[in-house]
Amino acid sequence: MTGISVEVAERGSWTVLSVHGPINSYTYNELQEKTMRHAGRVDMAVDLSGVSSMTSAGIGVLLAAIEDAETAGKRFVVVAPSEVARLAIESTGFSDRFPTAPSLKELPA
Amino acid sequence: MGLTLFTFLAAILTAVTVFGVKARGSSARAFRVAAFASVAYAILLSAGYLLAADYRGAALILVRCAGAGVVVSYLAFLRLAVGYPYAKRIVALDIALAAIAAAAAWAIVFTDAYIVDLKRFGLEYIRFEGDYHAAIAIAVASIGILSAVTMVVRAVSIRSRVYRQHLAVMAAGLAVSVAWGYAFAVLGPSTRLVAVYPLSAANCLFAALAASYAFSSTRVFQAHTAAKGLAAWAVVLLGFGLPLGFAVAVAFLFRAASPATSIAFAALAFIVFGRWAESFARGRIGAEHDQSSREDLEAAIAHLDLSAGRESVLSALSSIMEGAFGCSWFSALSEDDSGGLRRVYPDDDQLVSTPGSPTLEALAAVDRHVILKTDVVADESLADLKAALLAFFDVLGSEAIVLAKEGRRVVGVFAFGPKRSGADYDALDYAAFDAVHGKLFVVAYYARHVSRESLLDTVEKEIGLADQVVRSVQERIDPIDHPGVSVAFKCQSPRGLGGDLFDSVRISEHRWFFVVGDVSGKGLNASMSMVILKSMIRTLLREEKDFVKLVSRTNAFIKERLPRGTFFSGVFGFLALDKGSIYFINCGIPAMFFRSPSLDSVIETQGEGKMLGFVKNIEPYLKTRKLALPPGSRLLISTDGIVEAESVRGERYGKERLVRILGENKASSAAETVEAVVRSASAFAGGRLDDDITVVAIDYQGAPKENKR
């Protein structure tokens, strides 16, 4: 099974997690671990442009990160979701719960 | 010129370092006065030295001001020696020291008591000393020595090890500073050291840098570690610095013949020797070694067998940690159902922190997941939480803790007792704790969500026997046993335990409630959430007659009571078999297909839906739909595990294949159709489905005859 890679980098005031590969029940642990480390502590952007598939496991991780950010008054943004990631987000019926930026360059200041 | 430039650069570096110190209070103020006076001394003396060749008048003023600077610096260090680490103001002492500084500065700058005149011829530096030069020099050096001795005395008497080490480091810095200054600045001009006189300007920088370290560091270092580091750096300096110097000197010889080649050769030598030295230092000074040890520790934790039971897992973790850190004991606390922290290893079940206690609030508020007791004592950024955190350390008797937090919620705490060697946890330990935090989090999460050992024994046996417990809950439904309908379903999880859910509840003779869906998450956690949710829906069903409100209250329960990030995608429905209708609310079920015998076609019926758990109030988004069921019709409902199943080539199973299976199984029973769907998706995915799946088929045969009458 193809693995997932989650790279963490700083970009201005944002901590950016760049995800590559499929997010499913076998791979979501790494994403969960890294989002939990940062969610609610920093302004976090999750770059989903490299996501090849995303199941509900990935949505759950993002939702938890969003709720942590809201609780702590931090910002959370999904960046450039791939087509499959966008569809997974839309399937929740609450796309507006996932603030989205079209690219890393267009992250809010 | 080169030495003067070196001193300028050292002064700038020191100033930058001092600017980076964020400490507050009277001790920090004394430190800043001392440090900036030291920097001013270095710059003024160096500038005076440069100007002494051609601008003697200006040079004299600058050098006198530098002398005043060193007096101010040492007096400020004396104030620091008396007050550190406390922020308490000592007004009388401050006034006295300020008065002495002002008087000394006046005497040095505005009279001939210290220096009368200056002159420099190349490296020859002549200083015409005033009548009291020796007395002033000795007095200033004495203040420096007094400050250092005071620091040593205080270091011996202070209880905190981290402050003891700070005072010792500052005292050492001051001692070097005084010795350096006396050798180069006082004796230098009258000895052979005059050639390196500009170095005398750097003397106070040692004390300033040592104090900067004390104000920036909150962790102790082990003497042998520091000695090893210094020795390794000395080897690097000698082993690489000497050959480099030789190479540059050779290049210097050819500067007249070919300046460009000479410079290029020297630059190349710097790069080559620099890289060799860096590579050597990484291996020998410890970075790679430390990294390797941390990776071994991570691997050891990652290989813990979580199926062995909580007590066994934590016992094994205790052995690993005691071996890695040399701690005298290891303890684990876990969040209990009330939100408090309870000790689970050793399992005395003691409630250590009650929900809402200042300790828990402090742990929730702290913005780091590794806390050393020395951090709490010495780190000013923790000042607001200091009392509560120290109380927590005292209750546990520990010296270091690692927190496992979900956002602000503290899921677990790992506590480490004092080291067997008696040493404190240091910066290397901190880095190791930090490196393994992710793995410890998994263990904490496991400890939090796996019930107590006595219960776990039972549960684990059941889990070990192919998830019978969860399956029994999953299968505990009111079967839809009605002559007008045939219902079949299948829940399956790739890991034995999953979050998919099908439940049906008999409301009346011809009415049934059902829910099909997927609770997010995987494995044991998802199963637990599913079991809880199933139970809650049944409870709400007894209380709530309004269909929309039932779903809305389920949403609120998920949002408020289930673990953060949990959501539910599925469908809630009522079967009115006497009317031949289904009323349903789509909450994000991905596939709900209807096949009518009269149309002989398959229609996707679920419409738009909103998953539960995303917003607090979902009621405005909920829409009840009605679907008329003609006799012979079939409804097929599937969770995302089927639709999103992937082939080895990365293709999705999709809805089209589901429709095709439905079409191919027109004559099959509901159970056969469900089996056909699961078989097809499984074959598509190469025999391995990645996600939990639930498929439900409802065949409607028509209203019972007695009702038709």
Side-chain angles (χ1 to χ4, degrees):
Chain A
M1 166 150 304
T2 314
I4 187 178
S5 78
V6 184
E7 291 164 14
V8 184
E10 302 295 324
R11 191 183 175 93
S13 60
W14 294 87
T15 297
V16 179
L17 274 66
S18 299
V19 190
H20 293 271
I23 310 175
N24 55 40
S25 58
Y26 290 95
T27 63
Y28 80 112
N29 275 332
E30 185 173 353
L31 177 62
Q32 184 178 49
E33 190 180 304
K34 288 187 175 163
T35 53
M36 280 182 173
R37 275 191 184 197
H38 298 95
R41 299 191 177 94
V42 293
D43 291 337
M44 186 164 76
V46 181
D47 183 350
L48 298 179
S49 58
V51 170
S52 55
S53 66
M54 185 154 91
T55 67
S56 58
I59 295 290
V61 173
L62 296 180
L63 177 61
I66 289 168
E67 291 181 348
D68 283 346
E70 286 172 349
T71 305
K74 298 289 180 186
R75 295 183 290 177
F76 179 93
V77 170
V78 168
V79 180
S82 63
E83 181 67 7
V84 285
R86 187 181 60 74
L87 288 173
I89 288 170
E90 283 179 358
S91 73
T92 66
F94 289 105
S95 301
D96 54 338
R97 288 281 285 139
F98 298 80
T100 304
S103 71
L104 286 174
K105 288 180 182 170
E106 290 166 82
L107 283 174
Chain B
M1 184 67 186
L3 293 177
T4 311
L5 184 64
F6 166 79
T7 309
F8 274 129
L9 289 175
I12 291 167
L13 177 70
T14 307
V16 170
T17 307
V18 173
F19 269 119
V21 174
K22 294 188 170 56
R24 291 167 301 190
S26 58
S27 289
R29 276 195 295 278
F31 154 70
R32 287 199 178 87
V33 170
F36 285 122
S38 300
V39 170
Y41 167 74
I43 291 172
L44 291 169
L45 192 66
S46 300
Y49 177 82
L50 283 180
L51 295 176
D54 302 311
Y55 304 97
R56 292 166 60 182
L60 180 64
I61 295 171
L62 290 176
V63 172
R64 283 181 174 181
C65 288
V70 78
V71 172
V72 172
S73 173
Y74 280 166
L75 286 170
F77 274 120
L78 181 61
R79 171 67 180 83
L80 184 61
V82 173
Y84 187 82
Y86 309 111
K88 198 175 164 186
R89 296 190 66 181
I90 312 172
V91 179
L93 180 63
D94 289 344
I95 292 172
L97 292 177
I100 295 169
W106 177 83
I108 291 171
V109 176
F110 297 107
T111 72
D112 288 339
Y114 181 54
I115 296 175
V116 178
D117 199 1
L118 295 169
K119 185 68 186 168
R120 182 168 68 84
F121 305 95
L123 293 177
E124 191 70 21
Y125 182 67
I126 301 168
R127 188 172 61 195
F128 299 96
E129 296 170 354
D131 295 340
Y132 298 98
H133 181 274
I136 292 172
I138 291 170
V140 172
S142 301
I143 298 169
I145 293 167
L146 178 64
S147 305
V149 170
T150 307
M151 284 174 178
V152 170
V153 170
R154 296 219 39 239
V156 171
S157 59
I158 203 161
R159 276 185 62 196
S160 162
R161 288 192 191 188
V162 66
Y163 287 142
R164 185 181 306 159
Q165 206 165 67
H166 286 175
L167 285 162
V169 168
M170 286 194 287
L174 265 171
V176 171
S177 173
V178 171
W180 183 283
Y182 203 77
F184 290 105
V186 179
L187 302 177
S190 52
T191 65
R192 288 184 178 179
L193 287 174
V194 69
V196 290
Y197 179 77
L199 284 179
S200 66
N203 75 329
C204 289
L205 301 182
F206 293 103
L209 287 172
S212 297
Y213 166 80
F215 277 92
S216 311
S217 165
T218 58
R219 287 163 208 140
V220 296
F221 58 82
Q222 305 304 329
H224 64 87
T225 309
K228 193 177 146 196
L230 286 172
W233 279 114
V235 169
V236 170
L237 282 175
L238 291 173
F240 294 88
L242 289 178
L244 173 63
F246 179 74
V248 173
V250 170
F252 187 72
L253 292 176
F254 296 97
R255 70 188 185 287
S258 177
T261 308
S262 174
I263 292 170
F265 184 78
L268 184 67
F270 266 103
I271 292 169
V272 170
F273 280 95
R275 290 186 76 91
W276 281 348
E278 185 190 5
S279 166
F280 177 84
R282 278 193 180 169
R284 306 286 168 164
I285 293 178
E288 280 183 1
H289 172 72
D290 295 338
Q291 181 65 25
S292 165
S293 303
R294 282 171 212 154
E295 283 170 5
D296 290 346
L297 182 57
E298 271 191 276
I301 300 171
H303 284 99
L304 284 172
D305 179 11
L306 295 183
S307 66
R310 190 171 71 184
E311 184 71 21
S312 300
V313 167
L314 293 175
S315 175
L317 181 64
S318 174
S319 300
I320 293 170
M321 289 305 189
E322 286 175 18
F325 294 100
C327 52
S328 49
W329 52 261
F330 166 85
S331 177
L333 315 181
S334 184
E335 182 191 36
D336 66 10
D337 293 338
S338 70
L341 279 175
R342 205 171 275 278
R343 196 184 334 255
V344 293
Y345 183 84
D347 190 10
D348 59 6
D349 203 30
Q350 183 193 340
L351 185 63
V352 177
S353 295
T354 53
S357 64
T359 298
L360 259 182
E361 289 299 315
L363 294 176
V366 73
D367 62 350
R368 59 185 77 175
H369 43 250
V370 178
I371 309 175
L372 306 185
K373 193 174 181 183
T374 53
D375 286 344
V376 184
V377 171
D379 192 338
E380 287 225 1
S381 69
L382 295 173
D384 295 341
L385 310 171
K386 188 171 179 176
L389 291 176
L390 280 181
F392 185 59
F393 274 97
D394 288 344
V395 165
L396 295 173
S398 79
E399 297 283 322
I401 58 172
V402 177
L403 302 176
K405 290 167 73 175
E406 278 187 301
R408 282 174 52 88
R409 206 177 110 225
V410 182
V411 178
V413 176
F414 297 102
F416 299 81
K419 286 195 171 190
R420 289 189 295 272
S421 64
D424 280 325
Y425 289 91
D426 60 18
L428 288 177
D429 295 318
Y430 185 93
F433 283 133
D434 195 45
V436 299
H437 167 259
K439 297 288 181 290
L440 288 177
F441 181 90
V442 174
V443 179
Y445 208 74
Y446 165 84
R448 166 68 183 92
H449 290 283
V450 174
S451 56
R452 295 184 56 201
E453 194 75 12
S454 52
L455 296 174
L456 185 66
D457 282 344
T458 311
V459 176
E460 275 179 349
K461 280 173 192 161
E462 299 294 338
I463 292 171
L465 295 168
D467 71 316
Q468 285 183 12
V469 171
V470 174
R471 192 170 293 281
S472 70
V473 175
Q474 221 165 24
E475 292 176 353
R476 198 182 62 223
I477 62 174
D478 295 353
I480 304 178
D481 188 9
H482 189 277
V485 72
S486 170
V487 177
F489 75 95
K490 183 154 192 169
C491 288
Q492 187 177 299
S493 172
R495 295 178 178 179
L497 297 170
D500 270 25
L501 162 69
F502 173 73
D503 195 12
S504 56
V505 180
R506 184 177 184 272
I507 305 297
S508 66
E509 186 184 358
H510 302 296
R511 304 280 170 103
W512 300 80
F513 165 84
F514 70 91
V515 56
V516 184
D518 177 11
V519 181
S520 64
K522 303 295 159 202
L524 190 59
N525 290 335
S527 289
M528 287 177 169
S529 295
M530 182 273 289
V531 169
I532 294 165
L533 188 62
K534 185 172 179 175
S535 165
M536 181 49 59
I537 291 171
R538 282 180 167 245
T539 304
L540 292 173
L541 198 57
R542 281 198 292 270
E543 298 172 1
E544 192 57 72
K545 303 302 172 197
D546 184 308
F547 190 24
V548 168
K549 284 196 169 11
L550 167 74
V551 178
S552 178
R553 287 180 66 180
T554 305
N555 171 74
F557 177 80
I558 294 169
K559 179 83 178 151
E560 290 162 19
R561 304 302 294 273
L562 291 186
R564 198 162 275 202
T566 303
F567 63 91
F568 173 83
S569 55
V571 61
F572 291 72
F574 274 103
L575 274 171
L577 296 173
D578 51 343
K579 306 275 186 194
S581 301
I582 285 183
Y583 299 86
F584 69 91
I585 294 176
N586 175 14
C587 298
I589 193 79
M592 190 166 156
F593 290 106
F594 174 70
R595 192 182 63 76
S596 163
S598 57
L599 294 172
D600 197 23
S601 62
V602 176
I603 303 164
E604 192 170 355
T605 56
Q606 75 273 15
E608 278 190 14
K610 304 280 187 185
M611 294 184 187
L612 306 187
F614 281 82
V615 292
K616 278 185 183 169
N617 180 17
I618 202 167
E619 207 169 315
Y621 301 100
L622 297 178
K623 203 178 288 179
T624 306
R625 293 190 174 89
K626 179 186 174 187
L627 182 65
L629 299 174
S633 60
R634 170 175 288 169
L635 191 66
L636 187 82
I637 303 169
S638 163
T639 57
D640 63 351
I642 292 284
V643 180
E644 291 173 9
E646 278 191 359
S647 71
V648 288
R649 286 177 297 180
E651 281 180 293
R652 285 174 82 234
Y653 184 78
K655 294 176 184 174
E656 295 77 11
R657 288 184 175 81
L658 205 52
V659 170
R660 198 173 67 223
I661 297 292
L662 203 51
E664 289 170 0
N665 285 272
K666 278 186 275 189
S668 308
S669 68
E672 288 167 342
T673 305
V674 166
E675 283 300 330
V677 168
V678 174
R679 209 168 40 243
S680 163
S682 182
F684 178 81
R688 193 171 81 166
L689 289 164
D690 290 346
D691 204 355
D692 305 338
I693 59 161
T694 292
V695 184
V696 181
I698 301 172
D699 285 359
Y700 182 66
Q701 281 100 31
K705 286 177 185 172
E706 57 270 32
N707 287 333
K708 284 184 178 173
R709 288 195 296 269

